[in-house]
């Protein structure tokens, strides 16, 4: 998301976390379905159709469709597009592309949100490294989400891993709290200092979403009002999970354990 959500932080009970997990399982299933379907020559609208079909099969409502006027269930962001690419019947993915897929849904009043980036067919070694570093930076962020830690530990975990691998973190968009709304407090930047920011407590549920570029971190939004691209045209990747901090530690809620 763009900008800060500066309301009070709503900690979730165990039963609320389990409801977000049911929503998150559907998110994982939709993203698995869509990401496995990506092929050279495919139109991004075909991915949108798959996401909608899978949503209705699973009995969930897509969260992005109609949100602030967004016109699709899925975001498909290709190569230099960072986030919020709008599916189109005129846009075709090709061999070597780096495709980020972002999807959220609501079930029983609870939202979940996740994203993955995949290569189309054979992709370049540097593109693959960008995808791998971004995925691992999310794992580092999840591991940093510990009771008595600080929000800055999560942000810093992403930034340190990404920059240590020679890539940049996007500053113009952040992760966010999530639960009864798609975007709740706090904002979760992908940069910041360890040991700074709010204390992490059990019941906190965050959508953590590193957005990483192979070049400069600067982005701009295209004339469609949504598609965020790197200003320098460099490749970007995006991974996201909805994660709860429970008494047992961090729990990824956007997974499908069958
Ligand atoms: N994961 C993205 C975010 O949290 C997806 C939002 S797309 C939108 O910003 F259309 F809902 F804005
Ligand atoms: Co999000």
């Amino acid at each position: 998301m763009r900008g800060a959500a500066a309301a009070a932080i709503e900690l979730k009970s165990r039963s609320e976390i389990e409801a977000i997990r049911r929503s998150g399982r559907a998110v994982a299933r939709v993203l698995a379905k869509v990401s496995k379907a990506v092929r050279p020559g495919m139109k991004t609208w075909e991915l949108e159709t798959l996401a909608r079909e899978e949503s209705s099969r699973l009995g969930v409502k897509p969260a992005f469709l109609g949100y602030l006027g967004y016109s699709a269930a899925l975001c498909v962001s290709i190569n230099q597009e960072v986030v919020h690419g709008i599916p189109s019947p005129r846009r075709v993915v090709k061999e070597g592309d780096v495709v980020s897929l972002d999807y959220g849904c609501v079930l029983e009043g609870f939202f979940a949100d996740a994203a993955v980036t995949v290569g189309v067919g054979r992709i370049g070694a540097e593109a693959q490294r960008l995808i791998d570093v971004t995925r691992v930076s999310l794992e580092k962020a999840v591991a940093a989400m510990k009771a008595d830690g600080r929000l800055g530990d999560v942000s810093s975990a992403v930034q340190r891993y990404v920059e240590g691998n020679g890539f940049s973190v996007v500053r113009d968009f952040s992760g966010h709290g999530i639960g009864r709304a798609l975007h709740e407090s706090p904002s979760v930047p992908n940069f910041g200092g360890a040991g700074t920011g709010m204390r992490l407590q059990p019941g906190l549920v965050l959508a953590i979403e590193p957005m990483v570029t192979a070049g400069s971190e600067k982005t701009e939004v295209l004339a469609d009002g949504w598609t965020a691209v790197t200003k320098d045209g460099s490749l970007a990747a995006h991974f996201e999970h909805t994660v709860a901090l429970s008494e047992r530690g961090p729990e990824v809620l956007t997974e499908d354990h069958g």
Side-chain angles (χ1 to χ4, degrees):
M1 62 164 232
R2 191 175 194 109
I9 287 151
E10 292 186 30
L11 298 177
K12 278 78 182 178
S13 66
R14 174 46 63 183
S15 72
E16 288 171 328
I17 289 172
E18 292 314 318
I20 300 170
R21 192 194 302 280
R22 290 191 286 278
S23 185
R25 185 177 297 123
V27 167
R29 287 181 178 170
V30 170
L31 281 175
K33 184 94 183 179
V34 173
S35 60
K36 283 182 191 134
V38 175
R39 296 269 184 289
M42 206 165 188
K43 295 169 181 71
T44 59
W45 189 261
E46 296 177 67
L47 301 172
E48 168 71 12
T49 300
L50 269 180
R52 290 194 191 190
E53 284 171 357
E54 194 65 5
S55 302
S56 58
R57 213 177 61 77
L58 295 167
V60 298
K61 188 169 162 283
F64 305 164
L65 185 60
Y67 180 81
L68 300 175
Y70 189 74
S71 57
L74 192 67
C75 300
V76 184
S77 307
I78 304 174
N79 296 335
Q80 79 287 350
E81 296 171 358
V82 183
V83 286
H84 303 166
I86 308 170
S88 159
R90 292 174 303 280
R91 187 76 186 274
V92 177
V93 298
K94 59 181 195 306
E95 177 101 16
D97 280 348
V98 170
V99 177
S100 300
L101 302 163
D102 190 351
Y103 173 83
C105 76
V106 57
L107 174 65
E108 305 164 30
F110 287 93
F111 287 81
D113 184 5
V116 294
T117 300
V118 296
V120 184
R122 283 181 62 87
I123 64 169
E126 193 64 356
Q128 188 61 55
R129 198 172 71 86
L130 176 70
I131 293 172
D132 293 342
V133 165
T134 308
R135 189 186 56 251
V136 173
S137 77
L138 174 56
E139 291 168 9
K140 303 272 182 197
V142 171
M145 199 174 159
K146 285 190 266 204
D148 288 333
R150 302 260 190 173
L151 189 59
D153 302 350
V154 176
S155 300
S156 157
V158 173
Q159 182 178 20
R160 289 174 54 134
Y161 187 74
V162 167
E163 292 180 356
N165 280 282
F167 296 134
S168 303
V169 289
V170 166
R171 316 274 172 140
D172 298 332
F173 299 88
S174 299
H176 48 92
I178 185 166
R180 291 190 186 275
L182 174 61
H183 293 144
E184 296 185 357
S185 276
S187 177
V188 186
N190 292 307
F191 61 95
T196 69
M198 66 169 275
R199 279 191 190 284
L200 304 177
Q201 304 171 60
L204 186 65
V205 180
L206 302 176
I208 305 173
E209 47 181 320
M211 290 155 264
V212 176
T213 77
S216 152
E217 69 267 23
K218 291 203 174 66
T219 71
E220 61 192 3
V221 175
L222 297 184
D224 63 18
W226 282 100
T227 313
V229 298
T230 57
K231 272 195 172 171
D232 64 2
S234 62
L235 285 182
H238 178 210
F239 280 84
E240 177 175 19
H241 270 310
T242 296
V243 188
L245 178 56
S246 83
E247 305 286 352
R248 299 197 290 264
E251 298 179 30
V252 174
L253 303 180
T254 37
E255 279 177 345
D256 179 14
H257 294 293

